Amino acid sequence: MPKVNCAIYTRKSTEHGLDMEFNSLQNQEEACKAYILSQAFNGWEYYKTYSDGGISGGTMERPGLQTLLNDIQAGKIQVVVVYKVDRLSRSIIDFHKMMQEFDKYDCNFVSITQSFDTSNSMGKLTLNMLLSFAQFEREVSAERVRDKIAASKAKGLWMGGTPPLGYDIKDRQLIPNEQEKTLVKLIFTKYLELGNMFATAHWLNEQGYHSKAWVPRCGKPRGGRPFQKSGIQRILTNPVYIGKVAHHAKNKIYQGKHEGIVPMDIWEQAQEFIRRRVKDKNAFSTYQVHDSVLSRKLYDDTGRSFRLTTAKKQGKKFLYYYNGVGGHYLPVEQLDNFVLKTLKMTDFDDLEPLANRDALPDKQMRKWIDKVVCQSTGKTHYLSIFLNEKQIKADLSALPKISGQAEERALVPEKLDEKLYVRNTFIVDNVSSMKLQNGRARNILTVRQLNESLVRGLSRGWQLKRLLEKGKSLRECEAASGMNKRTIARYLNLCYLSPKILADILEYRNPRNMTLKELMTLGEGETGFREQEKAWISIIK
């Protein structure tokens, strides 16, 4: 009798209880092993267990599941055993995709607590009904949680999380901390005095103050660090200090059950000062000390100017153009290089024919730029670079002439109200993210340059895969990479792309405007190499 390799898949939606001596994943595994043992007369043998703890069944982005699918494609597994159908997936679409993969590689699927035969139409109907209820249960549970949070906030209740400076948590209620309460008032009054969040943070640090120190349930101390501009901003704009509770998902603020600790007149003065600073075009001029190409020259299509701001990641500083609250962050180095490259690609022969521009330094070309307007439409951003025609003519006329035919250039300048300008576009890569000075994770707009973002994504995926192969847990990978589980899973999917696709990317044969997000979507949607390559070819065409 031929040997039948049986793989067990276990999953738990939350991390609660995973640290117990005998948890839900182990219970599922033992029950499945017992079932496999009972089928030994059919040649069934236990092969391996694949687990995903703390990951929802509504997504395919699960490291354990992806490893299982890859082993099925490699022909290592003939039967997948689960405790219940919803352990494999709670999404009907995802489940059907997996069933197609199972059929393709002659792999059977068994749920030990639900008896049905998928070889006939009645069994398939039963399976679909079970999955429909599983998906319905997941969606209803999510709605209940959202509704409970909304109702609780509407009643002014504190819904957990990091306690704000100035308060302690007792019986799930915010109770003023007398010592920290004084510090919060000092932060508001000092900001009104200095008028600058950076200066306020610097002064507090010099006086020996620090952010809130507290110990969560896990027992690991948090906070107690020097103040930063982002922390000061969160304090100054948090309505909890006037006795209110914010519900950001619905953009509403409710009267809270707790006591406010900042007088209303001081709060209103601080909010008015912050609003005035945001609207004032010159308010951030003291920060613009970096020598960038587009400093004081870059605007959005509404006329708002981009200022310079910085972000820190792993001890390194990164510089961005930022056009105000709710706007975009554009990386300075990439965008500056992109604009200079655009000028080099522009044909100026109508101004000065046959000028040899190869020896013209970038520093001189900066003087050609009068103003740049960035207009956004979805993922595509259009740059209109308005030029100093007089300066360009003067610089080109001083250059030596080319003997023979001039090199053809891709872009041709146009005129608008007698002003010379040239247009070009860049693509938004929404996968990269960084914690910026306002303390929230923001999507960063990354200018596409060849396929650097794709190669960087592949490299990061393999780095994470090696960590897991060395025995690191998913939680340790999160700590090492600074990414959450969902992002890690997306990067890991890149490790299982077709070799042909990898070769195309490394040899610059990928679609010109393809983003890392689109590549990740390809890796998630198609698990077989042939299907991936078909999708890849359709994208290229």
Side-chain angles (χ1 to χ4, degrees):
M1 182 179 294
K3 183 176 75 170
V4 179
N5 285 337
C6 301
I8 296 172
Y9 180 76
T10 63
R11 183 185 64 80
K12 190 176 188 297
S13 298
T14 66
E15 293 182 352
H16 180 68
L18 290 181
D19 54 350
M20 295 173 62
E21 186 175 348
F22 186 76
N23 57 45
S24 172
L25 296 179
Q26 293 168 324
N27 179 50
Q28 295 175 45
E29 183 179 8
E30 285 199 0
C32 291
K33 281 183 176 178
Y35 185 84
I36 292 171
L37 188 62
S38 71
Q39 300 296 314
F41 64 91
N42 288 324
W44 285 26
E45 288 186 13
Y46 169 72
Y47 174 70
K48 190 177 178 182
T49 298
Y50 303 82
S51 296
D52 285 310
I55 304 179
S56 168
T59 175
M60 293 278 286
E61 298 165 357
R62 291 173 263 163
L65 178 61
Q66 293 301 322
T67 307
L68 171 66
L69 293 173
N70 282 307
D71 285 350
I72 290 173
Q73 292 169 10
K76 298 177 182 179
I77 300 168
Q78 287 75 53
V79 177
V80 174
V81 182
V82 297
Y83 186 73
K84 291 176 67 176
V85 174
D86 62 6
R87 297 304 88 194
L88 189 64
S89 178
R90 282 183 178 267
S91 168
I92 296 176
I93 296 175
D94 290 344
F95 190 87
H96 277 296
K97 286 182 180 178
M98 282 188 277
M99 288 299 101
Q100 289 173 1
E101 287 297 304
F102 285 18
D103 292 341
K104 186 187 301 181
Y105 296 100
D106 296 324
C107 180
N108 295 315
F109 170 70
V110 174
S111 170
I112 66 173
T113 59
Q114 297 155 322
S115 179
F116 50 83
D117 182 3
T118 56
S119 63
N120 57 56
S121 57
M122 193 64 188
K124 290 178 181 177
L125 175 61
T126 305
L127 177 61
N128 284 335
M129 290 174 64
L130 288 171
L131 283 170
S132 297
F133 281 109
Q135 181 168 335
F136 173 73
E137 181 186 356
R138 177 172 64 89
E139 292 173 353
V140 168
S141 298
E143 286 178 3
R144 285 174 181 166
V145 171
R146 286 194 295 268
D147 291 344
K148 181 181 177 181
I149 291 174
S152 299
K153 292 211 172 200
K155 292 180 178 180
L157 299 177
W158 171 253
M159 290 305 296
T162 304
L165 181 70
Y167 290 95
D168 293 327
I169 299 176
K170 186 177 180 182
D171 298 328
R172 298 188 178 183
Q173 298 288 330
L174 291 177
I175 306 298
N177 180 309
E178 292 303 321
Q179 186 176 357
E180 294 180 359
K181 176 179 175 180
T182 305
L183 176 56
V184 170
K185 291 180 180 179
L186 178 62
I187 291 172
F188 273 84
T189 54
K190 203 65 186 178
Y191 173 70
L192 291 174
E193 176 187 333
L194 298 176
N196 185 297
M197 294 181 190
F198 281 114
T200 304
H202 181 69
W203 182 86
L204 290 167
N205 294 333
E206 282 188 335
Q207 303 303 311
Y209 294 110
H210 55 75
S211 64
K212 185 175 183 66
W214 64 294
V215 180
R217 290 181 181 178
C218 66
K220 184 179 179 180
R222 302 284 176 87
R225 297 181 179 181
F227 281 102
Q228 294 183 349
K229 183 254 182 184
S230 57
I232 299 299
Q233 184 179 26
R234 284 195 296 273
I235 291 171
L236 293 174
T237 56
N238 193 346
V240 74
Y241 295 116
I242 53 171
K244 297 187 178 181
V245 174
H247 189 192
H248 298 293
K250 293 192 174 182
N251 198 26
K252 291 184 178 180
I253 295 177
Y254 303 103
Q255 184 62 45
K257 297 285 186 181
H258 63 281
E259 175 190 342
I261 59 178
V262 174
M264 185 58 73
D265 57 335
I266 294 178
W267 167 265
E268 289 178 347
Q269 288 179 46
Q271 304 316 300
E272 178 59 31
F273 197 89
I274 292 170
R275 282 193 292 269
R276 197 163 63 244
R277 294 273 294 173
V278 170
K279 292 178 181 178
D280 185 1
K281 293 183 179 180
N282 299 317
F284 303 100
S285 60
T286 55
Y287 306 143
Q288 297 177 344
V289 295
H290 301 275
D291 182 25
S292 62
V293 174
L294 304 181
S295 177
R296 301 175 185 265
K297 295 181 179 180
L298 182 61
Y299 299 84
D300 62 18
D301 52 350
T302 66
R304 285 194 302 180
S305 63
F306 283 78
R307 64 179 177 88
L308 289 171
T309 186
T310 57
K312 272 190 178 181
K313 186 175 183 181
Q314 297 178 350
K316 294 182 180 180
K317 259 194 176 184
F318 298 88
L319 198 61
Y320 294 92
Y321 295 113
Y322 174 49
N323 64 330
V325 177
H328 298 304
Y329 288 86
L330 305 177
V332 168
E333 183 180 356
Q334 291 96 321
L335 189 55
D336 284 356
N337 290 337
F338 181 78
V339 169
L340 292 175
K341 183 180 177 182
T342 298
L343 294 181
K344 292 174 183 177
M345 293 166 55
T346 304
D347 187 350
F348 291 112
D349 280 356
D350 287 346
L351 300 181
E352 187 64 37
L354 302 177
N356 186 358
R357 293 158 50 188
D358 293 340
L360 190 67
D362 290 349
K363 188 174 182 180
Q364 189 62 31
M365 290 180 66
R366 291 184 180 197
K367 298 179 181 178
W368 296 5
I369 304 169
D370 274 346
K371 178 182 177 181
V372 177
V373 177
C374 179
Q375 182 181 4
S376 305
T377 306
K379 293 194 301 182
T380 305
H381 287 242
Y382 300 89
L383 285 184
S384 298
I385 307 170
F386 291 88
L387 304 167
N388 185 330
E389 188 173 349
K390 185 177 179 181
Q391 182 69 49
I392 296 173
K393 283 184 178 179
D395 289 343
L396 295 182
S397 61
L399 294 174
K401 304 298 181 184
I402 298 173
S403 57
Q405 189 173 359
E407 176 187 355
E408 285 191 17
R409 300 184 187 270
L411 301 174
V412 177
E414 303 175 43
K415 281 203 171 184
L416 178 67
D417 297 333
E418 300 302 316
K419 292 182 180 179
L420 193 69
Y421 78 100
V422 62
R423 295 191 71 178
N424 204 354
T425 63
F426 61 91
I427 303 298
V428 178
D429 181 351
N430 277 323
V431 177
S432 302
S433 63
M434 179 135 358
K435 286 186 177 180
L436 298 164
Q437 288 180 332
N438 60 5
R440 293 191 294 263
R442 287 274 188 166
N443 287 337
I444 307 304
L445 309 181
T446 306
V447 179
R448 286 279 297 117
Q449 292 181 338
L450 294 177
N451 60 355
E452 290 176 10
S453 66
L454 305 186
V455 175
R456 199 162 48 242
L458 293 172
S459 174
R460 185 168 293 179
W462 280 102
Q463 288 172 357
L464 292 167
K465 188 173 184 290
R466 288 194 189 99
L467 286 176
L468 291 171
E469 289 173 345
K470 289 177 180 179
K472 298 286 186 182
S473 67
L474 198 57
R475 188 168 294 177
E476 288 173 323
C477 289
E478 287 183 82
S481 64
M483 294 184 282
N484 58 32
K485 292 175 186 175
R486 182 176 183 275
T487 306
I488 288 175
R490 300 195 75 187
Y491 275 105
L492 287 172
N493 285 335
L494 298 178
C495 300
Y496 305 104
L497 289 172
S498 160
K500 181 185 183 304
I501 295 175
L502 297 178
D504 283 351
I505 294 172
L506 295 176
E507 295 173 13
Y508 304 105
R509 294 198 297 266
N510 56 283
R512 180 183 175 190
N513 291 332
M514 189 173 200
T515 65
L516 182 56
K517 182 179 181 181
E518 291 168 337
L519 184 64
M520 286 179 164
T521 302
L522 175 65
E524 294 167 358
E526 304 294 347
T527 54
F529 286 172
R530 290 182 181 178
E531 288 71 23
Q532 288 178 2
E533 290 167 9
K534 286 180 182 177
W536 179 257
I537 291 170
S538 67
I539 293 172
I540 293 176
K541 288 181 179 180

